[in-house]
């Protein structure tokens, strides 16, 4: 199989720490042809590490006919998605697709019109921890899933970061981190119909105008329940996930250098887990899936509509918190692309 040729747009933290090592591991299937960043030194350094060309101009990447796809690793995505689609490049875009439904729709429409693949990089779905939980569920070890409870907290980006401002990040811990957890809840439980949230800012450094504490409860048509909590300005990074079925439970905790997954069923087990969450494997698996979709012109398991739906739920959580009331979030919109079985190309 020919290697897929990629133009990376944005060579900051997520590229250097996660996508770059994944590309190195997948070098049989992919060639990074360009690394583009507005910051010249980042573009050059990133390119040197993967043997690619570098540029500060997006057009240079998009005009290159040898480029099959772009990997968008910038904080804002709409303009880059639209221009990449117009240039007939397939698109892997970091989460969230965008911060407003209008911008998400523009991205989805641009990809649909150009008949290119649009995958959003929701790496949690590809993490070995989550895949173990899914395996236990598929083997019936947990029984029917009734309840999910997911917590993620970290100290957060330093003051002055784009992540601390609504204008550049669209929101705080819920839009940036909680959205991964909402993706997991949807993956395992389907579409919620009602949502109740408390979203606030408390004890945040000066210059922060986004939420640093969020809790949301989602209600499902079959009676199931999903609870998502996200926090910034929590000094020790912590993940705690619980999945409760009618026959057993799965617990995962990553805190203070300790990582443990326990499947509490008959018989109980503790499958080995990678040394961090989310793991490098999660990014490698996610990028491998994208490459396979591009090679076979296949729908990704997680696309623009999925990310749009999660942005919709985050925005609903903001409304719920402001009003103090539950919000009706029943929707059949999110899977219309999949339901119609539309394949790009
Ligand atoms: N999946 C995950 O676990 C995960 C983790 C971290 C970040 N992310 C996502 O990745 C994206 C980037 O986050 P980050 O932490 O790498 O941010 P960052 O600030 O570290 O890096 C962003 C880079 O993009 C560059 N950039 C900005 N606009 C650009 C443009 N128009 N053209 C070219 N380059 C541009 C900046 O110069 C910077 O180097 C965000 O969407 C974020 O939500 C995902």
């Amino acid at each position: 199989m020919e290697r897929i040729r990629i133009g990376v747009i944005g060579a900051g933290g997520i590229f250097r720490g996660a996508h770059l090592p994944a590309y190195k591991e997948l070098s049989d299937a992919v060639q990074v042809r360009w690394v583009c960043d507005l910051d010249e030194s980042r573009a050059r350094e990133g390119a040197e590490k993967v043997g690619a060309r570098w540029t500060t101009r997006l057009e240079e990447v998009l005009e290159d006919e040898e480029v099959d796809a772009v990997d968008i690793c910038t904080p804002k995505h709409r303009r880059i998605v639209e221009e990449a689609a117009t240039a007939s490049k397939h698109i892997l875009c970091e989460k969230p697709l965008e911060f407003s439904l209008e911008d998400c729709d523009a991205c989805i429409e641009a990809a649909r019109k150009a008949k290119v693949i649009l995958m959003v990089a929701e790496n949690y779905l590809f993490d070995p921890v989550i895949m173990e939980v899914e395996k236990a569920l598929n083997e019936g070890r947990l029984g029917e899933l009734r309840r999910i409870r997911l917590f993620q907290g970290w100290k957060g980006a330093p003051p002055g970061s784009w992540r601390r401002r609504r204008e550049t990040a669209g929101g705080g811990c819920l839009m940036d981190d909680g959205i991964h957890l909402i993706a997991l809840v949807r993956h395992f439980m389907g579409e919620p119909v009602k949502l109740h949230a408390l979203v606030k800012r408390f004890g945040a450094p000066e210059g922060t105008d986004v939420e640093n504490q969020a809790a949301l409860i989602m209600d499902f048509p079959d009676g199931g329940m999903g609870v998502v909590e996200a926090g910034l300005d929590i000094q020790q990074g912590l993940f705690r996930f619980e999945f409760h079925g009618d026959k057993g439970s799965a617990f995962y905790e990553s805190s203070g250098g300790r990582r443990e997954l326990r499947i509490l069923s008959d018989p109980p087990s503790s499958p080995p887990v990678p040394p961090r969450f989310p793991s490098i494997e999660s990014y490698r698996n996610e990028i491998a899936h994208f490459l396979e979709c591009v090679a076979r012109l296949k729908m990704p398991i997680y696309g623009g509509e999925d990310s749009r739906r999660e942005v919709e739920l985050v925005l609903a959580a903001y409304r719920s918190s402001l009003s103090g009331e539950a919000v009706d979030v029943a929707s059949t919109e999110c899977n219309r692309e999949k339901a119609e079985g539309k394949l790009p190309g």
Side-chain angles (χ1 to χ4, degrees):
M1 199 166 70
E2 297 256 317
R3 289 197 300 171
I4 307 291
R5 294 153 305 183
I6 298 272
V8 171
I9 319 298
I14 194 66
F15 172 66
R16 290 196 303 266
H19 291 218
L20 187 149
Y23 283 123
K24 284 192 168 165
E25 282 191 35
L26 293 166
S27 60
D28 285 349
V30 66
Q31 178 203 358
V32 179
R33 201 170 149 80
W34 287 98
V35 175
C36 169
D37 198 295
L38 296 177
D39 179 322
E40 188 181 312
S41 63
R42 282 189 178 185
R44 187 186 294 124
E45 259 173 51
E48 274 166 11
K49 289 197 172 123
V50 280
R53 298 141 207 242
W54 66 269
T55 180
T56 55
R57 293 176 53 246
L58 175 64
E59 309 82 72
E60 215 171 338
V61 180
L62 300 183
E63 281 162 11
D64 182 349
E65 288 182 2
E66 303 279 300
V67 170
D68 301 305
V70 292
D71 174 8
I72 304 175
C73 296
T74 57
K76 272 290 284 175
H77 306 139
R78 175 174 171 173
R79 186 182 64 82
I80 304 173
V81 168
E82 287 177 330
E83 291 186 18
T86 304
S88 298
K89 309 298 184 196
H90 298 294
I91 300 163
L92 175 64
C93 178
E94 261 304 339
K95 47 54 63 177
L97 179 57
E98 261 296 345
F99 313 135
S100 73
L101 296 183
E102 189 192 343
D103 286 345
C104 286
D105 284 338
C107 294
I108 293 165
E109 187 49 33
R112 187 175 287 153
K113 207 166 133 198
K115 297 188 186 329
V116 295
I117 292 165
L118 171 60
M119 173 168 159
V120 177
E122 183 39 80
N123 62 303
Y124 283 28
L125 298 178
F126 296 90
D127 194 278
V129 166
I130 300 307
M131 287 155 75
E132 281 292 346
V133 172
E134 188 150 28
K135 185 163 154 250
L137 272 163
N138 290 341
E139 289 170 354
R141 295 178 64 199
L142 307 186
E144 188 186 311
L145 195 57
R146 299 261 163 98
R147 192 183 168 112
I148 298 185
R149 186 166 168 239
L150 309 172
F151 177 94
Q152 166 168 357
W154 68 299
K155 69 177 168 23
S161 160
W162 61 266
R163 283 193 162 83
R164 294 238 172 227
R165 281 177 292 123
R166 187 164 299 277
E167 196 194 339
T168 44
C173 58
L174 198 53
M175 186 65 95
D176 194 29
D177 307 318
I179 203 155
H180 286 295
L181 308 182
I182 296 173
L184 288 182
V185 172
R186 280 188 65 236
H187 179 70
F188 286 109
M189 297 191 80
E191 295 304 336
V193 288
K194 200 177 271 189
L195 174 160
H196 207 136
L198 179 62
V199 178
K200 58 197 276 192
R201 186 166 59 253
F202 178 61
E206 210 173 307
T208 305
D209 73 356
V210 295
E211 77 276 4
N212 68 349
Q213 299 195 38
L216 75 104
I217 302 173
M218 285 170 274
D219 191 13
F220 290 82
D222 64 356
M225 190 172 178
V227 180
V228 159
E229 292 173 68
L232 294 180
D233 305 313
I234 289 173
Q235 292 315 310
Q236 299 295 326
L238 174 71
F239 293 88
R240 183 178 290 139
F241 300 161
E242 300 176 14
F243 301 82
H244 302 288
D246 62 349
K247 285 196 186 142
S249 295
F251 291 94
Y252 174 71
E253 185 170 313
S254 167
S255 63
R258 214 183 98 192
R259 274 147 209 99
E260 192 182 21
L261 173 64
R262 285 183 294 150
I263 310 287
L264 295 182
S265 66
D266 195 12
S269 63
S270 294
V273 288
R276 55 168 265 200
F277 188 93
S279 61
I280 288 298
E281 286 95 318
S282 71
Y283 300 99
R284 187 197 58 212
N285 295 343
E286 150 198 289
I287 289 175
H289 178 67
F290 176 67
L291 297 174
E292 195 198 329
C293 291
V294 171
R296 298 178 197 275
L297 277 187
K298 207 175 81 166
M299 257 330 234
I301 64 161
Y302 186 89
E305 295 279 356
D306 290 291
S307 189
R308 179 198 190 276
R309 171 63 166 160
E310 282 138 28
V311 170
E312 183 177 56
L313 295 173
V314 168
L315 298 175
Y318 293 155
R319 287 204 308 281
S320 166
S321 188
L322 269 178
S323 68
E325 288 178 5
V327 173
D328 180 355
V329 292
S331 167
T332 51
E333 283 263 295
C334 53
N335 279 327
R336 63 179 184 237
E337 205 176 42
K338 281 180 185 162
E340 288 171 15
K342 275 196 188 154
L343 283 172

